Amino acid sequence: MSNPTIANAANSQTGHQARFNEDWLALGIGLLIFLLALSGLGGGNVLGWVVSTAVWSDPAGALAPTAKSYAGWGGAGALLATYAALLVVLSAAAFLLKLNVRRFALAFTVVFALAYLSWFAGNNAYLAAVTPADQQKFGIAWSLHLTNEGGFVVALIVGLVISNFFPRFAEWLKEAIRPELYIKIAIVILGGFIAVTIAGKLSLASSVLLRGLAAIVEAYLIYWAVVYFVARKWFGFSREWAAPLASGISICGVAASIATGGAIRSRPAVPVLVSSLVVIFAVIEVLVLPFLAQLFLSDEPLVAAAWLGLAVKTDGAAVAAGGIAEALIQAKNAAQGIHYQPGWILGTTATVKVFIDVFIGIWAFILAYVWTNHINVQPGQRARAAEIWERFPKFIIGFVATFLLGFWLAASGTPETLAKLTPSVGVANTFRVIFFILTFFSIGVLSNFRKLWEDGLGKLVAVYVLSLFGFVIWVGLLVSWIFFSGVKPPLAN
């Protein structure tokens, strides 16, 4: 089973500590990108060369620097500059994670090339054109209407093909397959983008935040108890297996199962196997649930957004599903003449997921206290309050920091400042999209269905399938409907 993120997390339980963990590195890299992007407020953006991809029928004009001031670099120059910058920064992160830097650099070069090529293909007009006017503009008779977010699905599918048909190649790439690092960096940047998006709609934004918090508390307390009961009573799992399984299915997948395994001091193999299942089913959810959301919930977009945050496990898959659902729902509503402001569906999914992430540290401490003091009682061992901080996902600090900074700048700035803020945050958001692309591709490469089945996951799969598709998805939908029904994103001007 080749899952470097899971393996590294498991190793942290057995004493093999890197200089820094992915949480702290994601915090630092995400903040660095966001702060450098804000240099645009001073008149020139030092990151404006980052490459962006437009929907295209002629590939020659698809790539360009994000900021117009760098137009002379051309699309090829922007792409090379983006690759070089990411290679330097992420190779430094690999060094701090005690990875083989040379191997990482070589693998990342291939990962970046394949992932961005997938994104480029997904921006083809036959996949991405939304409206009949777009089809007329590009001279095509039909389109799948996926918008450019369809590039994420292409990257995921390419990764799945590599994992399941070219396992040796997937193994060679594994040093640079870091979905948790990539998505956490993206989420740190996303905080600022969400803040600027919602700054002009404070009443609706506060409603989304409060409803999201209430929804995850209600849903999570139901989820965990039911999954734990099913694993223990119906399938005969020990507490050591049932607790990480309940957390993995209920909260944030990989991070939650590993945090729970550490909290109850389970054998490292337990959360690793559970986490592998989480990754597999997250792929299935990403491929299915956004399209169900478009089909049945396009008239309740924030219900769909909250539902994906509650139902899809792992940060990467949940936020990715929110991004795909936003594109699909926006496209369907646009065909009916309804145009919502962008960012609200994705932002609601991410907000719900962030609240769940925050809850991981609290729940891990509660479980550590219960296991240490009432189940596996050993002389001289007591759970410490400091474990809340130790289990707390540090990248959330970055999400909050960029959110507060972006919100303050948007809410208190002059019209001149606001005119510069939007393109500056847009540059940061371009990096966020690139880290999303890397996340999708990485999730695919980690998902070797045959190998995981050979490792004897049949009984765990049965619990996961029964719990996830039997009630977790539907309870999440019900709770989302209770708290978000009738709440709509603001219409675009």
mmCIF file of all heavy atoms in Angstrom, residues 101-134:
data_model
loop_
_atom_site.group_PDB
_atom_site.id
_atom_site.type_symbol
_atom_site.label_atom_id
_atom_site.label_comp_id
_atom_site.label_asym_id
_atom_site.label_seq_id
_atom_site.Cartn_x
_atom_site.Cartn_y
_atom_site.Cartn_z
ATOM 1 N N VAL A 101 15.111 14.842 -1.368
ATOM 2 C CA VAL A 101 14.796 16.050 -2.132
ATOM 3 C C VAL A 101 14.998 15.832 -3.630
ATOM 4 O O VAL A 101 14.187 16.274 -4.450
ATOM 5 C CB VAL A 101 15.644 17.237 -1.632
ATOM 6 C CG1 VAL A 101 15.372 18.479 -2.474
ATOM 7 C CG2 VAL A 101 15.340 17.519 -0.168
ATOM 8 N N ARG A 102 16.073 15.141 -4.004
ATOM 9 C CA ARG A 102 16.314 14.904 -5.424
ATOM 10 C C ARG A 102 15.188 14.076 -6.024
ATOM 11 O O ARG A 102 14.673 14.389 -7.105
ATOM 12 C CB ARG A 102 17.658 14.195 -5.619
ATOM 13 C CG ARG A 102 17.990 13.892 -7.075
ATOM 14 C CD ARG A 102 19.368 13.222 -7.196
ATOM 15 N NE ARG A 102 19.645 12.852 -8.579
ATOM 16 C CZ ARG A 102 19.234 11.731 -9.153
ATOM 17 N NH1 ARG A 102 18.520 10.846 -8.444
ATOM 18 N NH2 ARG A 102 19.530 11.475 -10.416
ATOM 19 N N ARG A 103 14.790 13.017 -5.320
ATOM 20 C CA ARG A 103 13.716 12.171 -5.813
ATOM 21 C C ARG A 103 12.398 12.947 -5.869
ATOM 22 O O ARG A 103 11.616 12.804 -6.803
ATOM 23 C CB ARG A 103 13.575 10.942 -4.915
ATOM 24 C CG ARG A 103 12.668 9.858 -5.474
ATOM 25 C CD ARG A 103 12.594 8.681 -4.523
ATOM 26 N NE ARG A 103 13.929 8.163 -4.216
ATOM 27 C CZ ARG A 103 14.211 7.396 -3.171
ATOM 28 N NH1 ARG A 103 13.237 7.086 -2.316
ATOM 29 N NH2 ARG A 103 15.436 6.955 -2.973
ATOM 30 N N PHE A 104 12.180 13.791 -4.843
ATOM 31 C CA PHE A 104 10.966 14.604 -4.839
ATOM 32 C C PHE A 104 10.939 15.541 -6.036
ATOM 33 O O PHE A 104 9.916 15.674 -6.717
ATOM 34 C CB PHE A 104 10.873 15.423 -3.548
ATOM 35 C CG PHE A 104 9.711 16.379 -3.537
ATOM 36 C CD1 PHE A 104 8.467 15.978 -3.077
ATOM 37 C CD2 PHE A 104 9.850 17.689 -4.008
ATOM 38 C CE1 PHE A 104 7.386 16.846 -3.088
ATOM 39 C CE2 PHE A 104 8.780 18.562 -4.028
ATOM 40 C CZ PHE A 104 7.545 18.138 -3.573
ATOM 41 N N ALA A 105 12.063 16.204 -6.305
ATOM 42 C CA ALA A 105 12.117 17.178 -7.400
ATOM 43 C C ALA A 105 11.836 16.512 -8.742
ATOM 44 O O ALA A 105 11.087 17.049 -9.574
ATOM 45 C CB ALA A 105 13.472 17.881 -7.415
ATOM 46 N N LEU A 106 12.421 15.339 -8.961
ATOM 47 C CA LEU A 106 12.180 14.624 -10.215
ATOM 48 C C LEU A 106 10.716 14.196 -10.327
ATOM 49 O O LEU A 106 10.082 14.375 -11.379
ATOM 50 C CB LEU A 106 13.093 13.406 -10.301
ATOM 51 C CG LEU A 106 14.593 13.685 -10.477
ATOM 52 C CD1 LEU A 106 15.388 12.384 -10.381
ATOM 53 C CD2 LEU A 106 14.860 14.373 -11.813
ATOM 54 N N ALA A 107 10.189 13.640 -9.246
ATOM 55 C CA ALA A 107 8.798 13.186 -9.273
ATOM 56 C C ALA A 107 7.844 14.364 -9.409
ATOM 57 O O ALA A 107 6.852 14.290 -10.147
ATOM 58 C CB ALA A 107 8.486 12.386 -8.013
ATOM 59 N N PHE A 108 8.144 15.466 -8.712
ATOM 60 C CA PHE A 108 7.246 16.615 -8.783
ATOM 61 C C PHE A 108 7.212 17.195 -10.195
ATOM 62 O O PHE A 108 6.171 17.674 -10.653
ATOM 63 C CB PHE A 108 7.662 17.699 -7.793
ATOM 64 C CG PHE A 108 6.791 18.926 -7.867
ATOM 65 C CD1 PHE A 108 5.534 18.925 -7.283
ATOM 66 C CD2 PHE A 108 7.206 20.067 -8.554
ATOM 67 C CE1 PHE A 108 4.697 20.034 -7.380
ATOM 68 C CE2 PHE A 108 6.389 21.175 -8.644
ATOM 69 C CZ PHE A 108 5.132 21.162 -8.055
ATOM 70 N N THR A 109 8.337 17.165 -10.880
ATOM 71 C CA THR A 109 8.367 17.661 -12.260
ATOM 72 C C THR A 109 7.358 16.905 -13.115
ATOM 73 O O THR A 109 6.600 17.508 -13.899
ATOM 74 C CB THR A 109 9.780 17.504 -12.850
ATOM 75 O OG1 THR A 109 10.696 18.288 -12.070
ATOM 76 C CG2 THR A 109 9.824 17.968 -14.290
ATOM 77 N N VAL A 110 7.317 15.585 -12.963
ATOM 78 C CA VAL A 110 6.373 14.776 -13.731
ATOM 79 C C VAL A 110 4.941 15.000 -13.232
ATOM 80 O O VAL A 110 4.002 15.116 -14.035
ATOM 81 C CB VAL A 110 6.753 13.286 -13.649
ATOM 82 C CG1 VAL A 110 5.750 12.432 -14.403
ATOM 83 C CG2 VAL A 110 8.160 13.078 -14.190
ATOM 84 N N VAL A 111 4.774 15.058 -11.909
ATOM 85 C CA VAL A 111 3.441 15.286 -11.341
ATOM 86 C C VAL A 111 2.868 16.608 -11.834
ATOM 87 O O VAL A 111 1.702 16.686 -12.260
ATOM 88 C CB VAL A 111 3.500 15.261 -9.801
ATOM 89 C CG1 VAL A 111 2.211 15.817 -9.189
ATOM 90 C CG2 VAL A 111 3.734 13.841 -9.301
ATOM 91 N N PHE A 112 3.673 17.665 -11.773
ATOM 92 C CA PHE A 112 3.198 18.972 -12.218
ATOM 93 C C PHE A 112 2.838 18.928 -13.702
ATOM 94 O O PHE A 112 1.795 19.460 -14.115
ATOM 95 C CB PHE A 112 4.262 20.042 -11.964
ATOM 96 C CG PHE A 112 3.845 21.423 -12.403
ATOM 97 C CD1 PHE A 112 3.101 22.234 -11.559
ATOM 98 C CD2 PHE A 112 4.186 21.908 -13.665
ATOM 99 C CE1 PHE A 112 2.701 23.502 -11.956
ATOM 100 C CE2 PHE A 112 3.789 23.172 -14.070
ATOM 101 C CZ PHE A 112 3.046 23.979 -13.222
ATOM 102 N N ALA A 113 3.686 18.302 -14.510
ATOM 103 C CA ALA A 113 3.435 18.253 -15.949
ATOM 104 C C ALA A 113 2.127 17.517 -16.254
ATOM 105 O O ALA A 113 1.287 18.009 -17.030
ATOM 106 C CB ALA A 113 4.602 17.581 -16.659
ATOM 107 N N LEU A 114 1.934 16.339 -15.644
ATOM 108 C CA LEU A 114 0.725 15.564 -15.916
ATOM 109 C C LEU A 114 -0.525 16.236 -15.359
ATOM 110 O O LEU A 114 -1.583 16.247 -16.001
ATOM 111 C CB LEU A 114 0.870 14.158 -15.328
ATOM 112 C CG LEU A 114 1.911 13.251 -15.997
ATOM 113 C CD1 LEU A 114 2.045 11.946 -15.235
ATOM 114 C CD2 LEU A 114 1.527 12.983 -17.455
ATOM 115 N N ALA A 115 -0.404 16.794 -14.143
ATOM 116 C CA ALA A 115 -1.554 17.440 -13.518
ATOM 117 C C ALA A 115 -1.976 18.679 -14.304
ATOM 118 O O ALA A 115 -3.170 18.887 -14.563
ATOM 119 C CB ALA A 115 -1.226 17.809 -12.068
ATOM 120 N N TYR A 116 -0.995 19.499 -14.700
ATOM 121 C CA TYR A 116 -1.376 20.717 -15.410
ATOM 122 C C TYR A 116 -1.840 20.403 -16.831
ATOM 123 O O TYR A 116 -2.723 21.086 -17.367
ATOM 124 C CB TYR A 116 -0.240 21.741 -15.437
ATOM 125 C CG TYR A 116 -0.797 23.150 -15.506
ATOM 126 C CD1 TYR A 116 -1.113 23.830 -14.331
ATOM 127 C CD2 TYR A 116 -1.063 23.765 -16.720
ATOM 128 C CE1 TYR A 116 -1.677 25.093 -14.379
ATOM 129 C CE2 TYR A 116 -1.628 25.032 -16.771
ATOM 130 C CZ TYR A 116 -1.929 25.699 -15.586
ATOM 131 O OH TYR A 116 -2.505 26.947 -15.635
ATOM 132 N N LEU A 117 -1.270 19.375 -17.431
ATOM 133 C CA LEU A 117 -1.767 18.955 -18.740
ATOM 134 C C LEU A 117 -3.220 18.493 -18.638
ATOM 135 O O LEU A 117 -4.042 18.763 -19.535
ATOM 136 C CB LEU A 117 -0.893 17.827 -19.292
ATOM 137 C CG LEU A 117 -1.250 17.311 -20.689
ATOM 138 C CD1 LEU A 117 -1.115 18.426 -21.723
ATOM 139 C CD2 LEU A 117 -0.347 16.138 -21.058
ATOM 140 N N SER A 118 -3.566 17.826 -17.550
ATOM 141 C CA SER A 118 -4.948 17.410 -17.318
ATOM 142 C C SER A 118 -5.852 18.626 -17.189
ATOM 143 O O SER A 118 -6.963 18.665 -17.750
ATOM 144 C CB SER A 118 -5.037 16.554 -16.049
ATOM 145 O OG SER A 118 -4.215 15.415 -16.130
ATOM 146 N N TRP A 119 -5.393 19.610 -16.437
ATOM 147 C CA TRP A 119 -6.160 20.847 -16.266
ATOM 148 C C TRP A 119 -6.349 21.543 -17.620
ATOM 149 O O TRP A 119 -7.434 22.031 -17.942
ATOM 150 C CB TRP A 119 -5.439 21.754 -15.282
ATOM 151 C CG TRP A 119 -6.023 23.125 -15.121
ATOM 152 C CD1 TRP A 119 -5.512 24.295 -15.582
ATOM 153 C CD2 TRP A 119 -7.213 23.463 -14.418
ATOM 154 N NE1 TRP A 119 -6.322 25.345 -15.221
ATOM 155 C CE2 TRP A 119 -7.370 24.864 -14.499
ATOM 156 C CE3 TRP A 119 -8.177 22.717 -13.722
ATOM 157 C CZ2 TRP A 119 -8.436 25.541 -13.925
ATOM 158 C CZ3 TRP A 119 -9.249 23.393 -13.144
ATOM 159 C CH2 TRP A 119 -9.370 24.779 -13.244
ATOM 160 N N PHE A 120 -5.275 21.590 -18.401
ATOM 161 C CA PHE A 120 -5.325 22.204 -19.726
ATOM 162 C C PHE A 120 -6.367 21.494 -20.596
ATOM 163 O O PHE A 120 -7.182 22.134 -21.261
ATOM 164 C CB PHE A 120 -3.935 22.134 -20.369
ATOM 165 C CG PHE A 120 -3.832 22.786 -21.705
ATOM 166 C CD1 PHE A 120 -3.646 24.157 -21.814
ATOM 167 C CD2 PHE A 120 -3.915 22.034 -22.866
ATOM 168 C CE1 PHE A 120 -3.555 24.767 -23.067
ATOM 169 C CE2 PHE A 120 -3.823 22.633 -24.115
ATOM 170 C CZ PHE A 120 -3.644 24.004 -24.208
ATOM 171 N N ALA A 121 -6.346 20.160 -20.580
ATOM 172 C CA ALA A 121 -7.314 19.400 -21.363
ATOM 173 C C ALA A 121 -8.732 19.662 -20.884
ATOM 174 O O ALA A 121 -9.675 19.758 -21.689
ATOM 175 C CB ALA A 121 -6.993 17.904 -21.288
ATOM 176 N N GLY A 122 -8.906 19.773 -19.570
ATOM 177 C CA GLY A 122 -10.231 20.027 -19.011
ATOM 178 C C GLY A 122 -10.787 21.391 -19.351
ATOM 179 O O GLY A 122 -11.995 21.627 -19.204
ATOM 180 N N ASN A 123 -9.934 22.308 -19.802
ATOM 181 C CA ASN A 123 -10.382 23.636 -20.204
ATOM 182 C C ASN A 123 -10.780 23.698 -21.674
ATOM 183 O O ASN A 123 -11.124 24.772 -22.164
ATOM 184 C CB ASN A 123 -9.279 24.666 -19.931
ATOM 185 C CG ASN A 123 -9.313 25.170 -18.507
ATOM 186 O OD1 ASN A 123 -9.866 26.218 -18.202
ATOM 187 N ND2 ASN A 123 -8.710 24.401 -17.602
ATOM 188 N N ASN A 124 -10.702 22.572 -22.379
ATOM 189 C CA ASN A 124 -11.143 22.548 -23.768
ATOM 190 C C ASN A 124 -12.626 22.914 -23.832
ATOM 191 O O ASN A 124 -13.423 22.511 -22.985
ATOM 192 C CB ASN A 124 -10.918 21.165 -24.366
ATOM 193 C CG ASN A 124 -11.353 21.098 -25.818
ATOM 194 O OD1 ASN A 124 -12.470 20.708 -26.103
ATOM 195 N ND2 ASN A 124 -10.466 21.492 -26.716
ATOM 196 N N ALA A 125 -12.989 23.666 -24.840
ATOM 197 C CA ALA A 125 -14.352 24.190 -24.936
ATOM 198 C C ALA A 125 -15.403 23.083 -24.960
ATOM 199 O O ALA A 125 -16.513 23.265 -24.440
ATOM 200 C CB ALA A 125 -14.484 25.062 -26.182
ATOM 201 N N TYR A 126 -15.089 21.925 -25.543
ATOM 202 C CA TYR A 126 -16.061 20.831 -25.572
ATOM 203 C C TYR A 126 -16.393 20.317 -24.173
ATOM 204 O O TYR A 126 -17.465 19.753 -23.957
ATOM 205 C CB TYR A 126 -15.549 19.682 -26.436
ATOM 206 C CG TYR A 126 -15.661 19.949 -27.918
ATOM 207 C CD1 TYR A 126 -14.540 20.288 -28.663
ATOM 208 C CD2 TYR A 126 -16.891 19.874 -28.564
ATOM 209 C CE1 TYR A 126 -14.637 20.545 -30.033
ATOM 210 C CE2 TYR A 126 -17.005 20.124 -29.926
ATOM 211 C CZ TYR A 126 -15.875 20.469 -30.650
ATOM 212 O OH TYR A 126 -15.988 20.729 -31.996
ATOM 213 N N LEU A 127 -15.481 20.498 -23.238
ATOM 214 C CA LEU A 127 -15.737 20.129 -21.849
ATOM 215 C C LEU A 127 -16.241 21.303 -21.026
ATOM 216 O O LEU A 127 -17.101 21.147 -20.162
ATOM 217 C CB LEU A 127 -14.461 19.575 -21.204
ATOM 218 C CG LEU A 127 -13.885 18.280 -21.747
ATOM 219 C CD1 LEU A 127 -12.605 17.928 -20.998
ATOM 220 C CD2 LEU A 127 -14.891 17.145 -21.631
ATOM 221 N N ALA A 128 -15.702 22.494 -21.274
ATOM 222 C CA ALA A 128 -15.845 23.592 -20.326
ATOM 223 C C ALA A 128 -16.826 24.675 -20.721
ATOM 224 O O ALA A 128 -17.260 25.447 -19.866
ATOM 225 C CB ALA A 128 -14.469 24.220 -20.077
ATOM 226 N N ALA A 129 -17.180 24.814 -21.998
ATOM 227 C CA ALA A 129 -18.110 25.871 -22.405
ATOM 228 C C ALA A 129 -19.460 25.669 -21.726
ATOM 229 O O ALA A 129 -19.964 24.542 -21.646
ATOM 230 C CB ALA A 129 -18.274 25.885 -23.921
ATOM 231 N N VAL A 130 -20.055 26.758 -21.221
ATOM 232 C CA VAL A 130 -21.253 26.633 -20.394
ATOM 233 C C VAL A 130 -22.522 26.975 -21.159
ATOM 234 O O VAL A 130 -23.454 26.184 -21.234
ATOM 235 C CB VAL A 130 -21.137 27.536 -19.142
ATOM 236 C CG1 VAL A 130 -22.409 27.460 -18.313
ATOM 237 C CG2 VAL A 130 -19.930 27.139 -18.309
ATOM 238 N N THR A 131 -22.564 28.144 -21.730
ATOM 239 C CA THR A 131 -23.799 28.647 -22.324
ATOM 240 C C THR A 131 -23.779 28.471 -23.844
ATOM 241 O O THR A 131 -22.722 28.283 -24.451
ATOM 242 C CB THR A 131 -23.976 30.133 -21.999
ATOM 243 O OG1 THR A 131 -22.919 30.875 -22.633
ATOM 244 C CG2 THR A 131 -23.919 30.361 -20.500
ATOM 245 N N PRO A 132 -24.964 28.551 -24.472
ATOM 246 C CA PRO A 132 -24.987 28.539 -25.945
ATOM 247 C C PRO A 132 -24.136 29.650 -26.548
ATOM 248 O O PRO A 132 -23.532 29.462 -27.612
ATOM 249 C CB PRO A 132 -26.476 28.730 -26.264
ATOM 250 C CG PRO A 132 -27.188 28.162 -25.079
ATOM 251 C CD PRO A 132 -26.319 28.499 -23.895
ATOM 252 N N ALA A 133 -24.074 30.803 -25.872
ATOM 253 C CA ALA A 133 -23.230 31.896 -26.367
ATOM 254 C C ALA A 133 -21.760 31.486 -26.362
ATOM 255 O O ALA A 133 -21.004 31.829 -27.281
ATOM 256 C CB ALA A 133 -23.438 33.138 -25.508
ATOM 257 N N ASP A 134 -21.358 30.752 -25.316
ATOM 258 C CA ASP A 134 -19.976 30.263 -25.268
ATOM 259 C C ASP A 134 -19.704 29.296 -26.419
ATOM 260 O O ASP A 134 -18.650 29.335 -27.059
ATOM 261 C CB ASP A 134 -19.705 29.558 -23.931
ATOM 262 C CG ASP A 134 -19.696 30.522 -22.767
ATOM 263 O OD1 ASP A 134 -19.375 31.699 -22.980
ATOM 264 O OD2 ASP A 134 -20.004 30.089 -21.642
#
